[in-house]
Amino acid sequence: MALIVQKFGGTSVGNTDKIKAVAERVLKSHKQGNRMVVVLSAMSGETDRLIRLAKDVQKIPDQRELDMIVSTGEQVTVALFAMAVKEAGYDAVSLLGDQVRILTSNLHTKARIKQIDSELISKHLDQGKVVVIAGFQGVTEAGDITTLGRGGSDTTAVALAAALKADACEIFTDVEGVYTTDPNVCKAARKINRITYDEMLELASLGAKVLDIRSVGLAKRYKVPVHVRSTFTENEGTWVVEEDKNMESMLVSGVTYSKNEARITINKVPDQPGVAAKIFLPISDAGIIVDMIIQNTRAGAMTDLTFTVLRSDYDRAMKLLREVAKEINAESVTGSEDIAKVSIVGVGMRNHSGIASTMFQILAKEGINILMISTSEIKVSCVIEEKYTELAVRALHDAFALDKDNVPSEEVI
Ligand code: ASP
Ligand code: MG
């Protein structure tokens, strides 16, 4: 007998028929003798609708009251789900975050889970009930309702799995799992069977949307095995797990891209101590996040400084930097929004050299110019012109043989 936490996203509980179907699916595991804890999102579109209602009344909604409103979406689905289980002849109980006592910080709309009481859940499980818990919400020490940020139900599920020492945490969604790349860009994209927490963190932060990134960090910390799979089929999905020796033989696990960034260069910056600090202080004060930074040194007393920011921050950043450039006597500020970042991710890179240079060769063969490069232990990213994004993704996916099941890349390149 296992304790299993199963989370279903908004599209899986989008109407009452879907809720009944999902209840049947949960009951199948329940009938096999497993202890089932179910975490639900609001019906798809509902959280957006609630936010719109709030903004209709108050342009910048009061954050405490906004949490009161948006947390109702999940209250509806958990109650309907418990009813569906009862209608099928079994017992269930729905619980909100404050009833369980999912204790959070008091940062409304972005609260962090501090502690979870497992007592009430265990009591209901002992009585043979399916326990249905509202995702995305918690309660502060003072008793105010909070939410965890958009997509937060994944985090609720993983946190519950950790607190209950569950045997597995299954995240049900509308795709089959985590893919080697975006299937919309590359038809050869393949579902990944097993991926490490670190790889998933890189993929999630680079734009893969299946799992909320905070839940992956939590899963890693508490070693919760997470199974991302489809609500609509019985197929095995992707297991997100700790690294083992086998996984290192795969040099590259996934190719990902992002078109959310823009590139800015400050030309001919005086090469003196303190200049970088003067440039980046106003940027960070404005809450603008900088990703890659490259500083070139050339003979003489001038240097160019190039970096990337989110495209949504581009205009603000350019305005601020034009002022800074004057102050520090830099020549000019130039930039481009037509860029994309293409990355390869894989734990196997840690112990193998030459992956980055292989990537550069592949891009060169396609005639794609690399504008910037950055690397980490398990990732290589290149900034290129946006119009080459799809071509680059397909070429890399193909050259690293990601369309083939579990073939170690060494044999192919
Ligand atoms: N309902 C919330 C949202 O739409 C939380 C979630 O679905 O995970 O963001
Ligand atoms: Mg989600």
Side-chain angles (χ1 to χ4, degrees):
M1 193 175 70
L3 197 162
I4 303 171
V5 175
Q6 292 189 333
K7 180 253 165 181
F8 295 89
T11 48
S12 306
V13 292
N15 58 43
T16 48
D17 281 337
K18 287 186 177 175
I19 290 176
K20 288 179 210 168
V22 169
E24 283 299 332
R25 181 163 192 155
V26 169
L27 280 172
K28 231 189 257 173
S29 294
H30 176 75
K31 288 177 206 167
Q32 287 163 4
N34 296 313
R35 291 155 75 86
M36 303 304 294
V37 174
V38 178
V39 176
L40 299 181
S41 290
M43 290 185 190
S44 49
E46 178 64 6
T47 308
D48 289 334
R49 188 184 74 87
L50 294 168
I51 292 172
R52 277 200 305 275
L53 282 181
K55 285 186 175 163
D56 257 6
V57 175
Q58 198 182 15
K59 242 199 214 115
I60 302 170
D62 180 274
Q63 300 285 286
R64 180 190 181 277
E65 304 309 330
L66 185 60
D67 275 351
M68 283 293 265
I69 294 171
V70 295
S71 60
T72 61
E74 275 74 11
Q75 182 162 353
V76 172
T77 47
V78 289
L80 288 172
F81 190 95
M83 288 176 183
V85 171
K86 288 175 195 231
E87 189 64 13
Y90 291 84
D91 203 5
V93 60
S94 63
L95 296 172
L96 300 178
D98 64 327
Q99 291 174 303
V100 172
R101 208 137 195 275
I102 298 179
L103 191 68
T104 71
S105 64
N106 40 27
L107 190 62
H108 283 288
T109 74
K110 291 184 214 55
R112 291 183 147 265
I113 296 178
K114 288 203 229 157
Q115 201 194 318
I116 293 183
D117 260 337
S118 55
E119 209 175 307
L120 184 64
I121 300 174
S122 299
K123 194 186 94 190
H124 286 301
L125 287 173
D126 288 344
Q127 292 168 0
K129 293 177 196 161
V130 174
V131 181
V132 195
I133 297 172
F136 176 54
Q137 56 177 257
V139 65
T140 66
E141 204 87 63
D144 287 318
I145 290 173
T146 51
T147 62
L148 309 178
R150 299 306 304 269
S153 297
D154 292 347
T155 301
T156 304
V158 172
L160 277 166
L164 296 166
K165 300 195 172 51
D167 296 287
C169 179
E170 298 199 292
I171 307 283
F172 286 86
T173 178
D174 49 10
V175 293
E176 293 275 336
V178 182
Y179 281 74
T180 47
T181 194
D182 181 351
N184 296 317
V185 168
C186 179
K187 288 222 167 48
R190 196 177 46 79
K191 186 190 74 200
I192 300 172
N193 296 328
R194 284 161 69 77
I195 190 168
T196 69
Y197 295 123
D198 286 330
E199 287 169 326
M200 193 61 225
L201 280 170
E202 291 288 3
L203 291 176
S205 69
L206 292 168
K209 282 195 219 92
V210 268
L211 256 187
D212 186 39
I213 186 160
R214 290 161 304 167
S215 69
V216 184
L218 206 60
K220 179 183 169 180
R221 176 135 46 101
Y222 293 99
K223 299 190 168 67
V224 177
V226 176
H227 187 189
V228 184
R229 62 190 303 191
S230 166
T231 305
F232 309 110
T233 69
E234 295 286 334
N235 301 341
E236 280 274 303
T238 302
W239 281 93
V240 189
V241 291
E242 277 193 284
E243 192 172 331
D244 63 36
K245 275 275 157 290
N246 248 339
M247 292 166 137
E248 271 177 25
S249 66
M250 284 296 287
L251 298 187
V252 175
S253 305
V255 178
T256 142
Y257 67 91
S258 144
K259 294 183 177 180
N260 297 331
E261 277 151 84
R263 182 172 65 131
I264 299 177
T265 301
I266 310 180
N267 300 293
K268 295 205 179 158
V269 177
D271 194 6
Q272 293 159 2
V275 165
K278 274 198 192 124
I279 292 172
F280 289 111
L281 188 66
I283 293 284
S284 69
D285 280 349
I288 296 170
I289 293 169
V290 172
D291 183 24
M292 289 187 198
I293 303 177
I294 292 178
Q295 182 183 322
N296 311 321
T297 24
R298 48 173 132 178
M302 297 290 183
T303 172
D304 291 344
L305 197 78
T306 301
F307 52 91
T308 57
V309 296
L310 285 179
R311 221 175 265 185
S312 52
D313 287 333
Y314 178 72
D315 291 338
R316 259 186 337 132
M318 286 296 275
K319 190 159 167 267
L320 277 173
L321 289 164
R322 289 212 170 96
E323 287 159 24
V324 175
K326 258 188 243 149
E327 246 172 69
I328 59 172
N329 287 322
E331 189 190 77
S332 60
V333 184
T334 50
S336 154
E337 291 184 84
D338 306 325
I339 58 152
K341 183 169 71 181
V342 178
S343 311
I344 53 174
V345 174
V347 283
M349 281 182 212
R350 281 202 196 111
N351 306 318
H352 292 86
S353 58
I355 311 288
S357 74
T358 306
M359 178 178 189
F360 306 152
Q361 281 168 41
I362 295 162
L363 295 177
K365 219 164 78 194
E366 300 296 335
I368 299 172
N369 191 26
I370 300 171
L371 305 170
M372 299 172 83
I373 298 165
S374 84
T375 64
S376 79
E377 236 192 342
I378 65 164
K379 178 186 78 176
V380 186
S381 301
C382 293
V383 170
I384 60 172
E385 277 183 75
E386 181 178 0
K387 63 182 178 200
Y388 296 125
T389 312
E390 286 75 15
L391 177 63
V393 167
R394 281 186 217 118
L396 291 166
H397 194 272
D398 186 52
F400 285 106
L402 292 179
D403 54 331
K404 302 201 177 55
D405 208 9
N406 284 329
V407 176
S409 301
E410 290 115 306
E411 291 172 16
V412 181
I413 297 166

